[in-house]
mmCIF file of all heavy atoms in Angstrom:
data_model
loop_
_atom_site.group_PDB
_atom_site.id
_atom_site.type_symbol
_atom_site.label_atom_id
_atom_site.label_comp_id
_atom_site.label_asym_id
_atom_site.label_seq_id
_atom_site.Cartn_x
_atom_site.Cartn_y
_atom_site.Cartn_z
ATOM 1 N N ASN A 81 -23.772 3.908 6.999
ATOM 2 C CA ASN A 81 -23.568 4.089 8.304
ATOM 3 C C ASN A 81 -22.280 5.046 8.593
ATOM 4 O O ASN A 81 -21.856 5.584 7.646
ATOM 5 C CB ASN A 81 -23.359 2.735 9.048
ATOM 6 C CG ASN A 81 -22.214 1.914 8.590
ATOM 7 O OD1 ASN A 81 -21.074 2.450 8.474
ATOM 8 N ND2 ASN A 81 -22.488 0.707 8.185
ATOM 9 N N LYS A 82 -21.875 5.124 9.812
ATOM 10 C CA LYS A 82 -20.743 6.127 10.098
ATOM 11 C C LYS A 82 -19.453 5.726 9.401
ATOM 12 O O LYS A 82 -18.747 6.644 9.058
ATOM 13 C CB LYS A 82 -20.529 6.198 11.587
ATOM 14 C CG LYS A 82 -21.730 6.465 12.438
ATOM 15 C CD LYS A 82 -22.050 8.015 12.271
ATOM 16 C CE LYS A 82 -23.192 8.462 13.202
ATOM 17 N NZ LYS A 82 -23.449 9.852 12.999
ATOM 18 N N ALA A 83 -19.246 4.538 9.069
ATOM 19 C CA ALA A 83 -18.068 4.080 8.384
ATOM 20 C C ALA A 83 -18.048 4.604 6.910
ATOM 21 O O ALA A 83 -17.087 5.163 6.485
ATOM 22 C CB ALA A 83 -17.886 2.616 8.380
ATOM 23 N N HIS A 84 -19.268 4.393 6.359
ATOM 24 C CA HIS A 84 -19.336 4.903 4.942
ATOM 25 C C HIS A 84 -19.167 6.431 4.826
ATOM 26 O O HIS A 84 -18.504 6.920 3.968
ATOM 27 C CB HIS A 84 -20.817 4.566 4.298
ATOM 28 C CG HIS A 84 -21.067 3.118 4.316
ATOM 29 N ND1 HIS A 84 -21.868 2.408 5.122
ATOM 30 C CD2 HIS A 84 -20.523 2.177 3.461
ATOM 31 C CE1 HIS A 84 -21.914 1.228 4.858
ATOM 32 N NE2 HIS A 84 -21.147 0.900 3.781
ATOM 33 N N LEU A 85 -19.815 7.083 5.798
ATOM 34 C CA LEU A 85 -19.763 8.639 5.857
ATOM 35 C C LEU A 85 -18.291 9.078 6.088
ATOM 36 O O LEU A 85 -17.789 10.010 5.506
ATOM 37 C CB LEU A 85 -20.762 9.113 6.879
ATOM 38 C CG LEU A 85 -22.263 8.819 6.635
ATOM 39 C CD1 LEU A 85 -23.135 9.275 7.881
ATOM 40 C CD2 LEU A 85 -22.679 9.514 5.290
ATOM 41 N N ALA A 86 -17.626 8.456 7.003
ATOM 42 C CA ALA A 86 -16.351 8.848 7.293
ATOM 43 C C ALA A 86 -15.308 8.642 6.134
ATOM 44 O O ALA A 86 -14.494 9.519 5.889
ATOM 45 C CB ALA A 86 -15.799 8.030 8.511
ATOM 46 N N LEU A 87 -15.580 7.666 5.467
ATOM 47 C CA LEU A 87 -14.685 7.360 4.279
ATOM 48 C C LEU A 87 -15.011 8.303 3.204
ATOM 49 O O LEU A 87 -14.003 8.751 2.549
ATOM 50 C CB LEU A 87 -14.828 5.901 3.660
ATOM 51 C CG LEU A 87 -14.425 4.832 4.689
ATOM 52 C CD1 LEU A 87 -14.882 3.510 4.251
ATOM 53 C CD2 LEU A 87 -12.861 4.878 4.802
ATOM 54 N N ALA A 88 -16.262 8.645 3.014
ATOM 55 C CA ALA A 88 -16.628 9.664 1.988
ATOM 56 C C ALA A 88 -15.967 11.007 2.326
ATOM 57 O O ALA A 88 -15.516 11.769 1.426
ATOM 58 C CB ALA A 88 -18.113 9.821 1.823
ATOM 59 N N LYS A 89 -15.965 11.325 3.671
ATOM 60 C CA LYS A 89 -15.319 12.548 4.105
ATOM 61 C C LYS A 89 -13.829 12.573 3.820
ATOM 62 O O LYS A 89 -13.376 13.694 3.399
ATOM 63 C CB LYS A 89 -15.638 12.787 5.615
ATOM 64 C CG LYS A 89 -15.102 14.095 6.250
ATOM 65 C CD LYS A 89 -15.284 14.125 7.674
ATOM 66 C CE LYS A 89 -14.605 15.437 8.289
ATOM 67 N NZ LYS A 89 -14.657 15.479 9.757
ATOM 68 N N LEU A 90 -13.230 11.544 4.171
ATOM 69 C CA LEU A 90 -11.786 11.505 3.873
ATOM 70 C C LEU A 90 -11.439 11.673 2.351
ATOM 71 O O LEU A 90 -10.488 12.294 2.002
ATOM 72 C CB LEU A 90 -11.176 10.170 4.405
ATOM 73 C CG LEU A 90 -11.048 10.042 5.896
ATOM 74 C CD1 LEU A 90 -10.621 8.622 6.229
ATOM 75 C CD2 LEU A 90 -10.115 11.085 6.429
ATOM 76 N N GLU A 91 -12.152 11.170 1.474
ATOM 77 C CA GLU A 91 -12.117 11.214 0.065
ATOM 78 C C GLU A 91 -12.248 12.730 -0.260
ATOM 79 O O GLU A 91 -11.459 13.293 -1.107
ATOM 80 C CB GLU A 91 -12.964 10.350 -0.663
ATOM 81 C CG GLU A 91 -12.776 10.374 -2.224
ATOM 82 C CD GLU A 91 -13.769 9.625 -2.992
ATOM 83 O OE1 GLU A 91 -14.960 9.565 -2.662
ATOM 84 O OE2 GLU A 91 -13.372 8.959 -3.926
ATOM 85 N N LYS A 92 -13.274 13.333 0.219
ATOM 86 C CA LYS A 92 -13.585 14.697 -0.064
ATOM 87 C C LYS A 92 -12.423 15.664 0.359
ATOM 88 O O LYS A 92 -12.126 16.610 -0.285
ATOM 89 C CB LYS A 92 -14.900 15.126 0.544
ATOM 90 C CG LYS A 92 -15.394 16.520 0.079
ATOM 91 C CD LYS A 92 -16.744 16.853 0.784
ATOM 92 C CE LYS A 92 -17.310 18.235 0.221
ATOM 93 N NZ LYS A 92 -18.612 18.509 0.806
ATOM 94 N N GLU A 93 -11.784 15.279 1.397
ATOM 95 C CA GLU A 93 -10.638 16.092 1.909
ATOM 96 C C GLU A 93 -9.356 15.789 1.094
ATOM 97 O O GLU A 93 -8.320 16.511 1.354
ATOM 98 C CB GLU A 93 -10.389 15.655 3.416
ATOM 99 C CG GLU A 93 -11.575 16.222 4.347
ATOM 100 C CD GLU A 93 -11.317 15.648 5.780
ATOM 101 O OE1 GLU A 93 -10.458 14.793 5.896
ATOM 102 O OE2 GLU A 93 -12.101 16.100 6.656
ATOM 103 N N GLY A 94 -9.493 14.818 0.199
ATOM 104 C CA GLY A 94 -8.267 14.526 -0.664
ATOM 105 C C GLY A 94 -7.334 13.459 -0.012
ATOM 106 O O GLY A 94 -6.259 13.248 -0.562
ATOM 107 N N LYS A 95 -7.678 12.918 1.211
ATOM 108 C CA LYS A 95 -6.721 12.023 1.813
ATOM 109 C C LYS A 95 -6.991 10.564 1.352
ATOM 110 O O LYS A 95 -6.035 9.800 1.149
ATOM 111 C CB LYS A 95 -6.996 12.124 3.351
ATOM 112 C CG LYS A 95 -6.334 13.317 3.965
ATOM 113 C CD LYS A 95 -6.574 13.193 5.481
ATOM 114 C CE LYS A 95 -5.736 14.252 6.240
ATOM 115 N NZ LYS A 95 -4.251 13.945 6.085
#
Side-chain angles (χ1 to χ4, degrees):
N81 60 53
K82 299 294 185 180
H84 298 105
L85 297 173
L87 294 168
K89 180 184 178 184
L90 287 176
E91 183 184 43
K92 190 174 182 180
E93 293 172 350
K95 286 184 167 293

